[in-house]
Amino acid sequence: MVQLLRRPAPGLAALAVKIELVVAEQVWELRAGEACLAALVRDVRGFAGV
């Protein structure tokens, strides 16, 4: 799951799935959780154009 969350989301639907996984699996508690959340932020910024 960590590898999936670290990969870029190809679209908004995939981003929504990633957010659901982050919450369901409480990713912030995983060893690699910080990197997963950083990848999520990159996805959001990429789609927002910032």
Side-chain angles (χ1 to χ4, degrees):
M1 180 188 54
V2 171
Q3 292 177 355
L4 172 71
L5 293 174
R6 291 174 126 182
R7 302 188 94 181
L12 290 175
L15 179 59
V17 170
K18 283 177 69 172
I19 292 170
E20 289 171 345
L21 285 171
V22 163
V23 173
E25 299 298 324
Q26 297 180 335
V27 167
W28 52 88
E29 293 182 358
L30 298 176
R31 178 191 290 178
E34 192 172 319
C36 292
L37 293 174
L40 188 65
V41 169
R42 284 192 302 273
D43 286 342
V44 172
R45 287 185 175 173
F47 290 122
V50 294

